[in-house]
Amino acid sequence: MKVFVAGGAGYIGSHAVYELLRAGHEVVVYDNLSTGRRAAVHPEARFYEGDILDRARVVEVLEAERETGAVAVALHFAAKLIVPESVTHPLAYYHNNVEGLRQMLAGLIEADVRHVVFSSTAAVYGEPGEGECFEESATLPINPYGETKLAAERMIQWVAAAHGMNFCVFRYFNVAGADASLEIGLDKDQLTHLVPLIMQTALGQRDRLSIFGSDYDTPDGTCIRDYIHVSDLARAHVLGAEHIVKHQESLLLNLGSGRGYSVREVVAEAEALFPFAYEYAARRPGDPARLIANIQKAREQLDWQPRLGLREILQSDYAYRKKLLEEG
Ligand code: UDP
């Protein structure tokens, strides 16, 4: 089927494009290249430059594509996603993640595309009591990023009900790693996530890693997260998109590995592979102590399960970053 991928030049979007093509789908990428890279778009995908906030452009692209067959489903990856940045710039997050989605949904409806796959986040759960998050768990975000994604989820649910759409909302936990081809990975100027910062330190691009907070209410005092390989996550998108089109129903699913690692444990696993220096530092604003996915629903509904573990995540990110460095 023909799949429209908004944000297909970005980190997760570009991996979804690779997995969609591997599964035999036709792919149309729409991206404003603000953080994405043209080179990350697979050569077999058709590329259109455009902004999700520009509804007329979205409609124009969807109508142009209709000439060769209508788009069956849209995947929406275009969003801002840095927790600390959302704390300092909340309005930018509302603009992009809420208003951007509003324009995109309006464009999809106008062009009669009735299936949408949306990237949400574990940050909608806020500070879950036991740390394990079920899709039915309370949603009480503790930072603007999670707040905007929760608003977006609700918008999709109301709009879908009113306009006869089907959605697949995925709540991502901590996504990291790179495609096995090493052609794509997380390639950004301003990196803030744990895994790539560890690898940049191991590769000598940074002096040391700071571990943010060692006094959380966890066994070793550092925050616990659930890390999922980007290729496992991308594969779930292919299955989710196929499912909602085939079964004409909507889904809301966690995507993680179902296992939690503390920052200290991630550091230890990485240190055993690639030595690097680190120090303990103050807590970072907006960080919940513990976020672990319950992934039973995704396993059942999509017949999916993660194939790659923390070691493969670390190794693939290292290999990708090393390649970037060698290429200059
Ligand atoms: N973290 C850290 N040092 C860093 C970057 C992140 O200790 O240089 C911690 C961060 O405080 C959080 C965990 O690693 O507890 C995961 O953070 P990341 O930014 O990778 O993802 P998030 O969970 O915020 O989406």
Side-chain angles (χ1 to χ4, degrees):
M1 60 189 180
K2 190 184 276 187
V3 185
F4 177 85
V5 184
Y11 172 48
I12 298 174
S14 63
H15 284 80
V17 170
Y18 271 59
E19 296 299 335
L20 284 161
L21 289 167
R22 282 172 186 149
H25 296 294
E26 190 178 349
V27 181
V28 177
V29 170
Y30 184 79
D31 199 298
N32 69 359
L33 301 179
S34 64
T35 54
R37 300 202 192 278
R38 181 67 184 86
V41 178
H42 194 289
E44 281 164 34
R46 244 180 333 281
F47 176 75
Y48 294 87
E49 190 166 344
D51 202 299
I52 52 167
L53 286 148
D54 184 352
R55 185 202 315 185
R57 175 76 176 140
V58 170
V59 174
E60 180 186 271
V61 169
L62 292 169
E63 294 298 346
E65 279 296 326
R66 192 176 289 282
E67 310 281 312
T68 54
V71 166
V73 51
L75 274 57
H76 182 94
F77 294 97
K80 289 184 164 285
L81 77 167
I82 310 293
V83 170
E85 183 188 54
S86 80
V87 176
T88 52
H89 295 84
L91 289 175
Y93 275 67
Y94 277 89
H95 186 58
N96 198 287
N97 295 358
V98 181
E99 176 61 12
L101 176 67
R102 190 179 83 85
Q103 295 295 348
M104 172 60 68
L105 288 176
L108 294 178
I109 291 164
E110 200 175 323
D112 204 24
V113 176
R114 304 279 158 167
H115 297 90
V116 62
V117 178
F118 181 70
S119 311
S120 187
T121 169
V124 299
Y125 295 114
E127 189 86 64
E130 293 300 306
E132 185 180 12
C133 304
F134 294 81
E135 287 83 354
E136 302 75 25
S137 299
T139 45
L140 294 163
I142 60 165
N143 53 56
Y145 169 57
E147 200 71 70
T148 59
K149 285 290 185 175
L150 185 57
E153 282 190 8
R154 290 185 172 154
M155 189 194 312
I156 288 177
Q157 288 167 4
W158 290 115
V159 170
H163 295 277
M165 292 180 98
N166 290 301
F167 60 82
C168 178
V169 168
F170 284 123
R171 291 179 175 162
Y172 303 166
F173 285 65
N174 289 59
V175 188
D179 187 76
S181 68
L182 300 185
E183 287 168 11
I184 48 172
L186 179 59
D187 181 13
K188 288 210 173 106
D189 297 333
Q190 299 291 324
L191 290 169
T192 63
H193 289 113
L194 180 64
V195 170
L197 289 186
I198 289 176
M199 296 315 160
Q200 284 195 325
T201 315
L203 286 163
Q205 293 172 281
R206 290 173 187 268
D207 289 343
R208 56 174 52 78
L209 176 87
S210 294
I211 295 181
F212 298 137
S214 51
D215 57 350
Y216 285 95
D217 185 17
T218 59
D220 66 19
T222 64
C223 290
I224 295 175
R225 294 287 181 277
D226 177 329
Y227 296 86
I228 175 169
H229 194 289
V230 65
S231 299
D232 279 331
L233 182 106
R235 245 181 343 100
H237 286 69
V238 178
L239 298 171
E242 290 170 349
H243 182 105
I244 61 171
V245 171
K246 183 168 172 209
H247 299 285
Q248 295 293 313
E249 64 177 12
S250 294
L251 298 170
L252 190 157
L253 303 169
N254 286 336
L255 285 182
S257 69
R259 237 218 90 156
Y261 290 91
S262 71
V263 176
R264 185 69 196 81
E265 286 172 329
V266 176
V267 165
E269 180 93 20
E271 240 189 327
L273 299 169
F274 325 102
F276 63 96
Y278 63 87
E279 64 188 4
Y280 287 93
R283 286 185 178 200
R284 193 178 68 172
D287 279 342
R290 202 189 288 255
L291 284 174
I292 304 166
N294 178 290
I295 55 169
Q296 202 49 37
K297 269 201 171 162
R299 283 186 208 275
E300 285 168 14
Q301 306 267 0
L302 301 181
D303 194 18
W304 164 89
Q305 60 179 344
R307 294 174 182 160
L308 305 164
L310 183 60
R311 180 169 295 238
E312 286 88 4
I313 291 174
L314 296 170
Q315 283 172 328
S316 66
D317 189 75
Y318 180 87
Y320 176 69
R321 232 152 274 296
K322 188 157 176 284
K323 180 174 168 254
L324 283 184
L325 202 60
E326 286 164 1
E327 286 170 357

